[in-house]
Amino acid sequence: MKGIIKFMKLIVSILIIFTLFSKIFAQNLPDYLDPGEHNFDKAGYKLFIEKKRNPKLLKEYIALEKRNYDVLRYDLYMDWYDLISKHFETGNLLTFEASNKIQLVILENNVSFIELDAMLLNIESITINGQPSNNSNKKALGILKVNFNQTFNSGDTVVLDIKYNFSSSENEGGINVYEKGTPIELGPPPNYDTVFIEEKIAYTMAEPIDARYWMPCNDRPYDKALSSFTVKVPKGYTVTSNGLLTKKVDLADSSTFFWKHDYPVTTYLMHAAASKYHYYYDWYRRVSNPDDSIKIEYYVWEKDFQDTSSDGMTHNATYAFRNSVKMMEFYSTIFGEYPYERYGMDAVLDCWFGGMEHQTITTLHRNVLRKKNRWGGNADNGNQLVIAHEMAHQWLGDLITCASWNDIWINEGGAVWSETLWQGRTNPDNYNWAIMGKMQTYLYYNTQNVQPPVYAPPIDNVFNYATTYMKAGSIYHMLGVMLGKERFLEILREMFAEYGYKSLDTEEFKNFLKSKVENPSVDFDTFFEQWIYKAGHPIYMVTHSTRKNQADEFYKVNLNLAQLQEGDDIPNVFQTCMWVKFFGPDGIVYIDSLVNKDRIEQFTFTLPFKPDSLQLDTVKTLCQVYAYVTDVEDNSDNATVIANIYPNPSINKDKSFLSLELKEDSFIDIEINDNLGRKMDKIKSGFLTSGYHLFDIQTKNLASGIYLISIQSKGKLITKQLNVLK
């Protein structure tokens, strides 16, 4: 016993040290980037990916590779009695007996075998259409090859009944088991109370490719099937799963729960959890028919249900779920009626994710029930967004599902955008602040344009927070801006009707938009190429000049946009819809729009006032503004060349930029000279058309000092000073 006590003290000490360092790190982040309790543990996810996956298989898992059959139904039985009743300690085996009856249809002719995904599963027997399999069935590299007793042709139905057992010496991600009393982490300051597992718990977690760890299946997101879960557990435990509970059979020491789901579901959205849960529910009256109601069910530990504290230090389920019915009403109004027979949420601990949108039964990290995060900050808003995010997935991710992991942006981007819709449901300003936070979070992680494209992330980075979530959510937002939010929501409802209970890939998503909208401001092929298939975002340098018209009291404003982004797989030009705000005296604001289609482009506006400044609307378009430069030259009609340098001084930079605005076509000579008049470099010598031009001034090899940029045009010399500091 003393040894156990010493070990517990060591564990708690380590947790305290880790928490303090985590707190220090978190304090260095802006508030809107604080990851809080419930963003997934990316490092933890990558660790178990590396432990479990054969690298040769990873490319196959991420790609859309359809097999020669389509699963129609899974009927799964799992005997978790021993798994839960026996105490699990390190070195012991987690085991359970199971069977899976798989009904499928063949899609090709002359098929003599099929392949299923299966990991850590010991196959005991297979029957094919009720007959024992006469041929040997092989399992290698996670693939179960099922040899048929005959050949089948396209349209033939095959029923496999596979008996197997699961065996593992540790939690492998697919099956997670935690003993009651296990210390997990420290609670919020100032108490830093140790958080324990309140009741023994076992649950499945399949996203992205872990259903194969607890059932043989076609573990690819494009394949959806009807399903049932039958799970045997010790008496006193409750099992929740997809769909509806159709029956419960109690024996002297065990209970068996029969769950059935009458809507197609992909394997990574299948789920079962068992613990000594307190079960309660709310009623949601369907917005399409108030006489029809469904349950919103909650599965939480008794302690969390009974908690009524308001200080945020403990887990209070009733408070955390207070908005569930309102959220369901909201999403059913904007997306169309909730598409399933029931909705529920189960709380689990421990886990590396904040929430998981299992179809009809979302799984939440238990800390979503606690108002304070582990650093003592208020996490209530973030908790509500996790609940909203996972509920919105029931449409964007479950009703329509990414056909492959290449297309996961469809799921996660839609749910992130849906969070902001919930936040802005009563006030558009709240929506703008929320979406700006998503964009700024992406830019925070991608200041140097180093993040990969949204499309086809590597499997060990499939949950890339910057791109899979924040950038993808911003893409949904920009589609809503370009098409109009109400029109975009209408198109999504039509998409749900067309692809509901199915999967779709990125090209199908794009082509559906093309079928509904003619002549968008930016054509969809270009939009998807630059935002989905390519990396990065536009980085702008913005300059402008103002001239007063002599004939009237109006002002001519030339707005010059230069895109500066560069790098591998980053578009040279992003074609973007932009909005610009001109600010004048006495609080005057003039707003206009434009479509930027070139890397360097000039736009002209006529205003009834002289603007003091201008600003691109970076809430409507995901972009980064490198600099706003206001020309300070004589902007009368006599000025033929307007020039500016930015940044100036150039402090530890590899280059600055020279912007030129020419009133008319001209031959130009541009040189860099040091303060003794010695020529250091020639930037340009040649003919330039009227309009806006941008040149790089390479400063990487220049020593600290003062340099003169000389610009000769039509016999006139303009000199600009550049300060270089290193």
Side-chain angles (χ1 to χ4, degrees):
M1 179 62 72
K2 289 182 179 179
I4 294 175
I5 293 173
K6 288 181 179 179
F7 175 74
M8 290 291 294
K9 288 181 177 179
L10 175 62
I11 290 293
V12 172
S13 298
I14 292 172
L15 287 170
I16 290 173
I17 293 171
F18 174 78
T19 301
L20 291 176
F21 274 100
S22 298
K23 184 177 180 181
I24 292 170
F25 170 75
Q27 288 173 338
N28 293 327
L29 289 176
D31 290 342
Y32 58 81
L33 297 182
D34 181 349
E37 296 281 1
H38 31 263
N39 287 332
F40 66 90
D41 179 357
K42 184 176 177 181
Y45 171 73
K46 293 185 76 170
L47 178 62
F48 83 70
I49 281 284
E50 291 166 3
K51 284 173 58 181
K52 294 163 51 180
R53 311 293 188 255
N54 185 313
K56 294 180 181 179
L57 300 179
L58 296 185
K59 186 175 181 180
E60 170 202 345
Y61 292 159
I62 199 74
L64 173 60
E65 182 180 330
K66 293 189 176 181
R67 285 172 164 154
N68 58 356
Y69 61 90
D70 177 43
V71 177
L72 303 177
R73 184 176 189 88
Y74 295 105
D75 290 303
L76 183 66
Y77 170 78
M78 295 189 294
D79 185 346
W80 282 4
Y81 184 87
D82 287 344
L83 184 73
I84 294 176
S85 62
K86 292 182 178 180
H87 188 80
F88 173 69
E89 295 179 352
T90 303
N92 293 345
L93 287 178
L94 291 169
T95 62
F96 63 85
E97 296 287 331
S99 65
N100 195 9
K101 186 176 182 180
I102 306 173
Q103 182 179 352
L104 56 89
V105 61
I106 302 297
L107 301 179
E108 298 176 0
N109 291 328
N110 300 315
V111 174
S112 60
F113 70 91
I114 63 167
E115 292 182 340
L116 296 169
D117 299 299
M119 298 282 288
L120 300 182
L121 304 179
N122 301 309
I123 306 302
E124 298 173 356
S125 66
I126 300 177
T127 64
I128 303 170
N129 290 342
Q131 300 298 316
S133 175
N134 297 327
N135 298 313
S136 60
N137 299 292
K138 299 179 180 179
K139 187 165 77 73
L141 291 177
I143 301 298
L144 173 62
K145 182 179 179 182
V146 179
N147 295 297
F148 295 148
N149 300 332
Q150 65 180 83
T151 59
F152 290 99
N153 294 315
S154 179
D156 289 342
T157 298
V158 178
V159 178
L160 306 177
D161 198 341
I162 305 175
K163 290 182 170 52
Y164 63 97
N165 65 76
F166 169 93
S167 180
S168 175
S169 60
E170 59 180 327
N171 286 322
E172 286 284 347
I175 292 286
N176 300 272
V177 181
Y178 295 95
E179 293 292 339
K180 179 178 180 178
T182 303
I184 299 299
E185 61 186 12
L186 297 185
N191 298 335
Y192 295 109
D193 293 328
T194 304
V195 177
F196 296 95
I197 299 293
E198 293 295 325
E199 299 288 351
K200 185 165 184 176
I201 187 170
Y203 70 92
T204 66
M205 170 62 187
E207 190 182 26
I209 52 175
D210 281 358
R212 67 195 69 195
Y213 279 79
W214 40 272
M215 69 172 186
C217 59
N218 188 26
D219 200 10
R220 304 187 178 198
Y222 72 81
D223 195 355
K224 292 188 173 186
L226 304 179
S227 65
S228 69
F229 262 97
T230 302
V231 185
K232 179 182 177 182
V233 293
K235 200 164 188 178
Y237 281 78
T238 296
V239 175
T240 185
S241 185
N242 309 93
L244 290 174
L245 180 64
T246 60
K247 185 170 61 172
K248 177 189 174 189
V249 175
D250 289 320
L251 299 179
D253 62 347
S254 69
S255 297
T256 302
F257 292 77
F258 296 79
W259 287 89
K260 183 182 179 184
H261 190 26
D262 289 331
Y263 295 88
V265 59
T266 191
T267 51
Y268 82 88
L269 295 174
M270 296 174 67
H271 170 68
S275 189
K276 289 186 176 179
Y277 278 131
H278 180 97
Y279 164 75
Y280 71 107
Y281 57 87
D282 289 319
W283 284 103
Y284 157 65
R285 295 185 179 275
R286 292 189 182 273
V287 296
S288 59
N289 179 12
D291 293 333
D292 183 15
S293 300
I294 65 167
K295 289 180 179 179
I296 299 180
E297 301 177 341
Y298 311 106
Y299 297 83
V300 298
W301 286 328
E302 184 69 30
K303 180 179 180 180
D304 300 344
F305 174 73
Q306 296 294 341
D307 192 293
T308 58
S309 64
S310 58
D311 60 5
M313 300 292 288
T314 53
H315 302 83
N316 183 335
T318 304
Y319 180 78
F321 293 134
R322 66 192 183 277
N323 288 316
S324 299
V325 173
K326 293 178 182 178
M327 289 178 183
M328 184 66 77
E329 291 170 348
F330 174 72
Y331 288 129
S332 293
T333 299
I334 64 171
F335 290 148
E337 187 56 76
Y338 177 68
Y340 301 114
E341 65 269 52
R342 152 264 196 181
Y343 185 64
M345 288 176 273
D346 59 353
V348 303
L349 194 68
D350 191 20
C351 59
W352 54 264
F353 55 89
M356 177 59 213
E357 65 276 13
H358 298 121
Q359 196 159 296
T360 73
I361 179 64
T362 283
T363 300
L364 297 172
H365 193 297
R366 185 192 180 207
N367 285 349
V368 174
L369 310 183
R370 189 179 65 199
K371 192 160 64 172
K372 285 191 176 181
N373 62 29
R374 61 179 175 267
W375 303 295
N378 190 336
D380 186 43
N381 181 64
N383 293 341
Q384 294 305 298
L385 293 185
V386 171
I387 294 171
H389 178 106
E390 305 306 335
M391 187 181 290
H393 264 313
Q394 300 299 311
W395 288 265
L396 287 156
D398 293 14
L399 180 59
I400 62 169
T401 304
C402 60
S404 78
W405 298 112
N406 292 335
D407 313 294
I408 190 175
W409 73 271
I410 295 173
N411 298 19
E412 297 302 341
V416 168
W417 181 59
S418 298
E419 295 174 30
T420 64
L421 294 176
W422 166 253
Q423 289 176 284
R425 64 195 181 280
T426 59
N427 186 340
D429 287 341
N430 291 343
Y431 172 83
N432 290 336
W433 279 108
I435 199 65
M436 184 170 64
K438 308 300 185 189
M439 291 179 171
Q440 291 301 314
T441 302
Y442 160 76
L443 292 173
Y444 176 87
Y445 286 109
N446 199 33
T447 304
Q448 302 300 320
N449 255 333
V450 296
Q451 295 289 347
V454 167
Y455 183 78
I459 194 67
D460 63 350
N461 199 21
V462 70
F463 300 121
N464 183 309
Y465 191 58
T467 54
T468 301
Y469 290 82
M470 298 298 106
K471 185 179 181 182
S474 301
I475 290 168
Y476 269 83
H477 162 70
M478 288 189 290
L479 285 169
V481 170
M482 184 170 72
L483 305 179
K485 187 166 69 174
E486 292 306 318
R487 176 57 180 145
F488 184 41
L489 286 170
E490 181 183 14
I491 292 172
L492 286 178
R493 290 192 292 270
E494 293 170 354
M495 184 181 292
F496 297 150
E498 177 76 17
Y499 285 95
Y501 312 108
K502 303 174 187 175
S503 63
L504 78 164
D505 61 27
T506 298
E507 283 297 296
E508 289 170 322
F509 193 103
K510 179 186 73 175
N511 290 333
F512 191 84
L513 293 177
K514 291 171 70 173
S515 72
K516 298 296 180 179
V517 180
E518 294 183 1
N519 302 317
S521 301
V522 176
D523 71 85
F524 291 118
D525 288 327
T526 299
F527 185 95
F528 273 66
E529 178 67 19
Q530 64 193 18
W531 288 112
I532 304 294
Y533 294 114
K534 296 292 185 180
H537 56 273
I539 301 176
Y540 281 106
M541 188 167 87
V542 183
T543 67
H544 79 276
S545 63
T546 304
R547 292 185 177 90
K548 185 176 181 181
N549 294 333
Q550 299 299 318
D552 52 38
E553 295 300 316
F554 286 86
Y555 291 83
K556 178 182 177 182
V557 180
N558 287 333
L559 170 65
N560 307 306
L561 298 181
Q563 295 189 25
L564 308 180
Q565 71 278 354
E566 56 187 14
D568 294 339
D569 219 17
I570 296 174
N572 187 56
V573 178
F574 279 85
Q575 293 191 23
T576 58
C577 301
M578 300 296 300
W579 281 256
V580 59
K581 298 179 181 179
F582 298 92
F583 300 94
D586 301 323
I588 298 175
V589 180
Y590 175 80
I591 302 175
D592 210 336
S593 62
L594 57 90
V595 179
N596 177 208
K597 294 188 175 182
D598 294 314
R599 187 169 175 87
I600 297 174
E601 195 167 3
Q602 185 176 81
F603 302 88
T604 300
F605 301 87
T606 300
L607 304 181
F609 61 89
K610 182 179 180 180
D612 301 322
S613 61
L614 60 82
Q615 185 179 64
L616 296 184
D617 190 340
T618 54
V619 175
K620 288 186 170 65
T621 302
L622 177 61
C623 66
Q624 191 175 352
V625 178
Y626 181 73
Y628 289 101
V629 180
T630 302
D631 288 309
V632 294
E633 298 283 348
D634 175 11
N635 291 339
S636 67
D637 284 341
N638 295 325
T640 58
V641 179
I642 300 174
N644 270 295
I645 298 173
Y646 189 88
N648 192 9
S650 176
I651 303 175
N652 295 320
K653 300 285 187 181
D654 289 340
K655 63 183 176 181
S656 287
F657 298 96
L658 170 67
S659 65
L660 286 185
E661 186 178 338
L662 302 181
K663 184 178 179 181
E664 53 191 44
D665 299 349
S666 177
F667 190 90
I668 292 285
D669 267 315
I670 307 173
E671 294 181 351
I672 304 177
N673 302 284
D674 65 13
N675 58 356
L676 297 178
R678 294 175 297 190
K679 185 170 77 172
M680 307 300 294
D681 194 11
K682 181 176 283 292
I683 298 176
K684 175 69 177 179
S685 180
F687 181 80
L688 292 179
T689 59
S690 62
Y692 179 63
H693 303 272
L694 188 71
F695 300 96
D696 294 351
I697 304 175
Q698 300 297 329
T699 59
K700 183 177 182 179
N701 297 321
L702 295 180
S704 294
I706 298 174
Y707 297 86
L708 300 177
I709 312 299
S710 64
I711 306 162
Q712 286 191 329
S713 173
K714 293 191 173 182
K716 184 176 180 180
L717 176 65
I718 298 174
T719 302
K720 306 290 290 186
Q721 180 175 296
L722 169 64
N723 296 324
V724 176
L725 300 175
K726 295 187 176 181

mmCIF file of all heavy atoms in Angstrom, residues 85-108:
data_model
loop_
_atom_site.group_PDB
_atom_site.id
_atom_site.type_symbol
_atom_site.label_atom_id
_atom_site.label_comp_id
_atom_site.label_asym_id
_atom_site.label_seq_id
_atom_site.Cartn_x
_atom_site.Cartn_y
_atom_site.Cartn_z
ATOM 1 N N SER A 85 -15.536 -6.195 -16.057
ATOM 2 C CA SER A 85 -15.567 -6.764 -14.704
ATOM 3 C C SER A 85 -14.177 -7.085 -14.176
ATOM 4 O O SER A 85 -13.939 -7.048 -12.964
ATOM 5 C CB SER A 85 -16.435 -8.026 -14.674
ATOM 6 O OG SER A 85 -15.892 -9.024 -15.521
ATOM 7 N N LYS A 86 -13.235 -7.398 -15.058
ATOM 8 C CA LYS A 86 -11.880 -7.702 -14.622
ATOM 9 C C LYS A 86 -11.054 -6.425 -14.527
ATOM 10 O O LYS A 86 -11.155 -5.546 -15.376
ATOM 11 C CB LYS A 86 -11.217 -8.685 -15.589
ATOM 12 C CG LYS A 86 -11.842 -10.067 -15.571
ATOM 13 C CD LYS A 86 -11.105 -11.016 -16.510
ATOM 14 C CE LYS A 86 -11.702 -12.415 -16.453
ATOM 15 N NZ LYS A 86 -11.001 -13.357 -17.370
ATOM 16 N N HIS A 87 -10.219 -6.352 -13.504
ATOM 17 C CA HIS A 87 -9.376 -5.172 -13.301
ATOM 18 C C HIS A 87 -8.222 -5.201 -14.295
ATOM 19 O O HIS A 87 -7.506 -6.193 -14.409
ATOM 20 C CB HIS A 87 -8.841 -5.139 -11.871
ATOM 21 C CG HIS A 87 -8.127 -3.859 -11.537
ATOM 22 N ND1 HIS A 87 -8.804 -2.706 -11.204
ATOM 23 C CD2 HIS A 87 -6.810 -3.547 -11.496
ATOM 24 C CE1 HIS A 87 -7.933 -1.740 -10.960
ATOM 25 N NE2 HIS A 87 -6.712 -2.233 -11.133
ATOM 26 N N PHE A 88 -8.061 -4.102 -15.010
ATOM 27 C CA PHE A 88 -7.000 -4.024 -16.015
ATOM 28 C C PHE A 88 -5.797 -3.311 -15.431
ATOM 29 O O PHE A 88 -5.896 -2.196 -14.926
ATOM 30 C CB PHE A 88 -7.490 -3.278 -17.255
ATOM 31 C CG PHE A 88 -6.401 -3.016 -18.261
ATOM 32 C CD1 PHE A 88 -5.839 -4.058 -18.980
ATOM 33 C CD2 PHE A 88 -5.927 -1.733 -18.470
ATOM 34 C CE1 PHE A 88 -4.833 -3.823 -19.899
ATOM 35 C CE2 PHE A 88 -4.916 -1.486 -19.390
ATOM 36 C CZ PHE A 88 -4.365 -2.533 -20.110
ATOM 37 N N GLU A 89 -4.646 -3.957 -15.490
ATOM 38 C CA GLU A 89 -3.393 -3.361 -15.067
ATOM 39 C C GLU A 89 -2.385 -3.503 -16.192
ATOM 40 O O GLU A 89 -2.512 -4.378 -17.057
ATOM 41 C CB GLU A 89 -2.869 -4.042 -13.797
ATOM 42 C CG GLU A 89 -3.761 -3.846 -12.575
ATOM 43 C CD GLU A 89 -3.211 -4.560 -11.350
ATOM 44 O OE1 GLU A 89 -2.229 -5.307 -11.511
ATOM 45 O OE2 GLU A 89 -3.770 -4.370 -10.262
ATOM 46 N N THR A 90 -1.378 -2.640 -16.165
ATOM 47 C CA THR A 90 -0.349 -2.691 -17.190
ATOM 48 C C THR A 90 0.261 -4.088 -17.254
ATOM 49 O O THR A 90 0.641 -4.665 -16.239
ATOM 50 C CB THR A 90 0.755 -1.659 -16.901
ATOM 51 O OG1 THR A 90 0.161 -0.368 -16.822
ATOM 52 C CG2 THR A 90 1.804 -1.671 -18.003
ATOM 53 N N GLY A 91 0.334 -4.629 -18.445
ATOM 54 C CA GLY A 91 0.856 -5.978 -18.634
ATOM 55 C C GLY A 91 -0.235 -7.001 -18.843
ATOM 56 O O GLY A 91 0.010 -8.058 -19.429
ATOM 57 N N ASN A 92 -1.438 -6.712 -18.340
ATOM 58 C CA ASN A 92 -2.565 -7.602 -18.586
ATOM 59 C C ASN A 92 -3.131 -7.356 -19.977
ATOM 60 O O ASN A 92 -2.902 -6.310 -20.585
ATOM 61 C CB ASN A 92 -3.666 -7.387 -17.544
ATOM 62 C CG ASN A 92 -3.221 -7.804 -16.162
ATOM 63 O OD1 ASN A 92 -2.217 -8.495 -16.005
ATOM 64 N ND2 ASN A 92 -3.968 -7.381 -15.151
ATOM 65 N N LEU A 93 -3.898 -8.301 -20.446
ATOM 66 C CA LEU A 93 -4.497 -8.166 -21.764
ATOM 67 C C LEU A 93 -5.922 -7.638 -21.660
ATOM 68 O O LEU A 93 -6.697 -8.057 -20.800
ATOM 69 C CB LEU A 93 -4.507 -9.512 -22.488
ATOM 70 C CG LEU A 93 -3.170 -10.038 -23.002
ATOM 71 C CD1 LEU A 93 -3.368 -11.404 -23.644
ATOM 72 C CD2 LEU A 93 -2.539 -9.071 -23.994
ATOM 73 N N LEU A 94 -6.240 -6.692 -22.543
ATOM 74 C CA LEU A 94 -7.628 -6.305 -22.769
ATOM 75 C C LEU A 94 -8.183 -7.278 -23.799
ATOM 76 O O LEU A 94 -7.651 -7.385 -24.911
ATOM 77 C CB LEU A 94 -7.711 -4.879 -23.311
ATOM 78 C CG LEU A 94 -7.335 -3.732 -22.373
ATOM 79 C CD1 LEU A 94 -7.221 -2.432 -23.157
ATOM 80 C CD2 LEU A 94 -8.371 -3.579 -21.279
ATOM 81 N N THR A 95 -9.235 -7.987 -23.460
ATOM 82 C CA THR A 95 -9.786 -8.975 -24.389
ATOM 83 C C THR A 95 -11.305 -8.929 -24.373
ATOM 84 O O THR A 95 -11.926 -8.570 -23.370
ATOM 85 C CB THR A 95 -9.339 -10.403 -24.026
ATOM 86 O OG1 THR A 95 -9.833 -10.728 -22.724
ATOM 87 C CG2 THR A 95 -7.823 -10.524 -24.033
ATOM 88 N N PHE A 96 -11.901 -9.286 -25.495
ATOM 89 C CA PHE A 96 -13.339 -9.548 -25.532
ATOM 90 C C PHE A 96 -13.657 -10.386 -26.762
ATOM 91 O O PHE A 96 -12.931 -10.372 -27.767
ATOM 92 C CB PHE A 96 -14.171 -8.254 -25.520
ATOM 93 C CG PHE A 96 -13.987 -7.351 -26.706
ATOM 94 C CD1 PHE A 96 -14.700 -7.545 -27.885
ATOM 95 C CD2 PHE A 96 -13.114 -6.279 -26.639
ATOM 96 C CE1 PHE A 96 -14.545 -6.703 -28.967
ATOM 97 C CE2 PHE A 96 -12.949 -5.425 -27.716
ATOM 98 C CZ PHE A 96 -13.667 -5.632 -28.888
ATOM 99 N N GLU A 97 -14.745 -11.139 -26.665
ATOM 100 C CA GLU A 97 -15.252 -11.940 -27.773
ATOM 101 C C GLU A 97 -16.286 -11.126 -28.542
ATOM 102 O O GLU A 97 -17.020 -10.312 -27.951
ATOM 103 C CB GLU A 97 -15.888 -13.232 -27.256
ATOM 104 C CG GLU A 97 -14.925 -14.182 -26.571
ATOM 105 C CD GLU A 97 -13.999 -14.868 -27.561
ATOM 106 O OE1 GLU A 97 -14.412 -15.065 -28.731
ATOM 107 O OE2 GLU A 97 -12.861 -15.204 -27.171
ATOM 108 N N ALA A 98 -16.348 -11.356 -29.856
ATOM 109 C CA ALA A 98 -17.269 -10.558 -30.665
ATOM 110 C C ALA A 98 -17.612 -11.301 -31.950
ATOM 111 O O ALA A 98 -16.971 -12.292 -32.321
ATOM 112 C CB ALA A 98 -16.646 -9.202 -30.993
ATOM 113 N N SER A 99 -18.627 -10.798 -32.617
ATOM 114 C CA SER A 99 -18.969 -11.280 -33.958
ATOM 115 C C SER A 99 -19.530 -10.119 -34.759
ATOM 116 O O SER A 99 -20.101 -9.175 -34.196
ATOM 117 C CB SER A 99 -19.991 -12.421 -33.895
ATOM 118 O OG SER A 99 -21.226 -11.956 -33.376
ATOM 119 N N ASN A 100 -19.354 -10.195 -36.062
ATOM 120 C CA ASN A 100 -19.880 -9.155 -36.945
ATOM 121 C C ASN A 100 -20.502 -9.824 -38.162
ATOM 122 O O ASN A 100 -19.822 -10.542 -38.907
ATOM 123 C CB ASN A 100 -18.767 -8.193 -37.383
ATOM 124 C CG ASN A 100 -19.324 -6.915 -37.990
ATOM 125 O OD1 ASN A 100 -20.522 -6.670 -37.937
ATOM 126 N ND2 ASN A 100 -18.450 -6.095 -38.563
ATOM 127 N N LYS A 101 -21.786 -9.602 -38.322
ATOM 128 C CA LYS A 101 -22.502 -10.108 -39.494
ATOM 129 C C LYS A 101 -22.565 -8.981 -40.514
ATOM 130 O O LYS A 101 -23.159 -7.932 -40.254
ATOM 131 C CB LYS A 101 -23.904 -10.567 -39.104
ATOM 132 C CG LYS A 101 -24.677 -11.248 -40.217
ATOM 133 C CD LYS A 101 -26.021 -11.752 -39.690
ATOM 134 C CE LYS A 101 -26.815 -12.479 -40.769
ATOM 135 N NZ LYS A 101 -28.119 -12.959 -40.247
ATOM 136 N N ILE A 102 -21.930 -9.200 -41.655
ATOM 137 C CA ILE A 102 -21.784 -8.153 -42.667
ATOM 138 C C ILE A 102 -22.545 -8.558 -43.922
ATOM 139 O O ILE A 102 -22.255 -9.592 -44.537
ATOM 140 C CB ILE A 102 -20.297 -7.918 -43.021
ATOM 141 C CG1 ILE A 102 -19.479 -7.630 -41.756
ATOM 142 C CG2 ILE A 102 -20.155 -6.787 -44.027
ATOM 143 C CD1 ILE A 102 -17.981 -7.544 -42.002
ATOM 144 N N GLN A 103 -23.519 -7.753 -44.286
ATOM 145 C CA GLN A 103 -24.245 -7.967 -45.541
ATOM 146 C C GLN A 103 -23.713 -6.972 -46.559
ATOM 147 O O GLN A 103 -23.644 -5.767 -46.292
ATOM 148 C CB GLN A 103 -25.746 -7.765 -45.342
ATOM 149 C CG GLN A 103 -26.568 -8.015 -46.603
ATOM 150 C CD GLN A 103 -28.061 -7.821 -46.372
ATOM 151 O OE1 GLN A 103 -28.499 -7.652 -45.252
ATOM 152 N NE2 GLN A 103 -28.827 -7.854 -47.443
ATOM 153 N N LEU A 104 -23.323 -7.464 -47.740
ATOM 154 C CA LEU A 104 -22.732 -6.592 -48.748
ATOM 155 C C LEU A 104 -23.200 -6.993 -50.136
ATOM 156 O O LEU A 104 -23.695 -8.106 -50.351
ATOM 157 C CB LEU A 104 -21.202 -6.621 -48.652
ATOM 158 C CG LEU A 104 -20.498 -7.984 -48.752
ATOM 159 C CD1 LEU A 104 -20.171 -8.330 -50.203
ATOM 160 C CD2 LEU A 104 -19.220 -7.987 -47.915
ATOM 161 N N VAL A 105 -23.037 -6.075 -51.080
ATOM 162 C CA VAL A 105 -23.377 -6.344 -52.467
ATOM 163 C C VAL A 105 -22.113 -6.225 -53.306
ATOM 164 O O VAL A 105 -21.305 -5.314 -53.113
ATOM 165 C CB VAL A 105 -24.480 -5.384 -52.980
ATOM 166 C CG1 VAL A 105 -24.028 -3.933 -52.928
ATOM 167 C CG2 VAL A 105 -24.914 -5.753 -54.404
ATOM 168 N N ILE A 106 -21.923 -7.163 -54.213
ATOM 169 C CA ILE A 106 -20.751 -7.185 -55.086
ATOM 170 C C ILE A 106 -20.947 -6.181 -56.221
ATOM 171 O O ILE A 106 -22.045 -6.053 -56.785
ATOM 172 C CB ILE A 106 -20.526 -8.599 -55.649
ATOM 173 C CG1 ILE A 106 -20.342 -9.598 -54.497
ATOM 174 C CG2 ILE A 106 -19.328 -8.631 -56.583
ATOM 175 C CD1 ILE A 106 -19.131 -9.335 -53.636
ATOM 176 N N LEU A 107 -19.872 -5.468 -56.584
ATOM 177 C CA LEU A 107 -19.954 -4.407 -57.593
ATOM 178 C C LEU A 107 -19.270 -4.767 -58.908
ATOM 179 O O LEU A 107 -19.347 -3.996 -59.864
ATOM 180 C CB LEU A 107 -19.336 -3.115 -57.038
ATOM 181 C CG LEU A 107 -19.960 -2.562 -55.760
ATOM 182 C CD1 LEU A 107 -19.225 -1.297 -55.315
ATOM 183 C CD2 LEU A 107 -21.442 -2.265 -55.960
ATOM 184 N N GLU A 108 -18.601 -5.922 -58.969
ATOM 185 C CA GLU A 108 -17.913 -6.328 -60.189
ATOM 186 C C GLU A 108 -18.250 -7.783 -60.494
ATOM 187 O O GLU A 108 -18.784 -8.500 -59.643
ATOM 188 C CB GLU A 108 -16.391 -6.175 -60.028
ATOM 189 C CG GLU A 108 -15.923 -4.751 -59.784
ATOM 190 C CD GLU A 108 -14.426 -4.676 -59.535
ATOM 191 O OE1 GLU A 108 -13.769 -5.747 -59.551
ATOM 192 O OE2 GLU A 108 -13.917 -3.564 -59.311
#
